[in-house]
Amino acid sequence: MLNPSLARPEPPVSTCTANQFAAVRTEESATHAFVRTTMPKLKIVYLELPANELAVSRNFYAKLFGWTFQDYGPTYAAFSDSGTDGGFNADPAERTQHPLPVIESEDLEETEQSILKAGGKITLPTFSFPGGRRFHFTDPAGNELAVMQRE
């Protein structure tokens, strides 16, 4: 017979609103089927960072982390040796306000249509860049991302 003093106590009840919401959503997901837009597994392959002064950003990250750079004109430098490839965009007319994750797709047009069907919004139509094409979109929360396809 189990000694009642050795029994596991009831888990504490969380007073955190987020935890309570998560518990309710977990219960709901067990009883409801969710509809998902199924896409091939697309991965973030590039991170573009805005830069005010390209030389300053390059020097900072080269000294701090030892990253190496490839220039693509006076306002763009790609970096490597960082774990994830990326670049600094210092063009005031083109750079984003926040870091821009870039996802790779094998079919840019299909991915664009899937994003629209899922509720995303295209914020920058497809354009070419050295090595491929890409477009930008926002998710329902307003986060901006890009999708690229290599040439």
Side-chain angles (χ1 to χ4, degrees), residues 22-144:
V24 169
R25 295 296 294 161
T26 301
E27 289 175 20
E28 287 177 0
S29 67
T31 59
H32 293 84
F34 289 99
V35 177
R36 289 191 172 173
T37 302
T38 304
M39 293 180 58
K41 293 184 181 179
L42 305 176
K43 296 181 181 181
I44 295 172
V45 296
Y46 197 81
L47 181 64
E48 188 170 282
L49 301 172
N52 291 326
E53 295 180 41
L54 191 56
V56 171
S57 293
R58 284 179 54 140
N59 290 336
F60 177 82
Y61 287 96
K63 288 179 184 175
L64 185 63
F65 299 125
W67 295 357
T68 56
F69 297 89
Q70 170 67 48
D71 289 334
Y72 291 97
T75 60
Y76 200 94
F79 57 80
S80 55
D81 300 326
S82 65
T84 297
D85 288 341
F88 292 107
N89 188 344
D91 186 328
E94 294 182 5
R95 69 177 175 232
T96 57
Q97 295 295 313
H98 305 285
L100 179 73
V102 181
I103 299 164
E104 185 170 12
S105 171
E106 292 182 4
D107 187 333
L108 204 60
E109 289 73 21
E110 179 184 347
T111 303
E112 181 176 354
Q113 290 306 308
S114 295
I115 288 167
L116 291 170
K117 287 178 187 174
K121 294 180 181 164
I122 305 305
T123 57
L124 185 61
T126 301
F127 63 95
S128 295
F129 67 92
R133 301 178 304 132
R134 81 179 195 197
F135 66 87
H136 294 200
F137 72 96
T138 54
D139 67 13
N143 297 303
E144 185 175 11

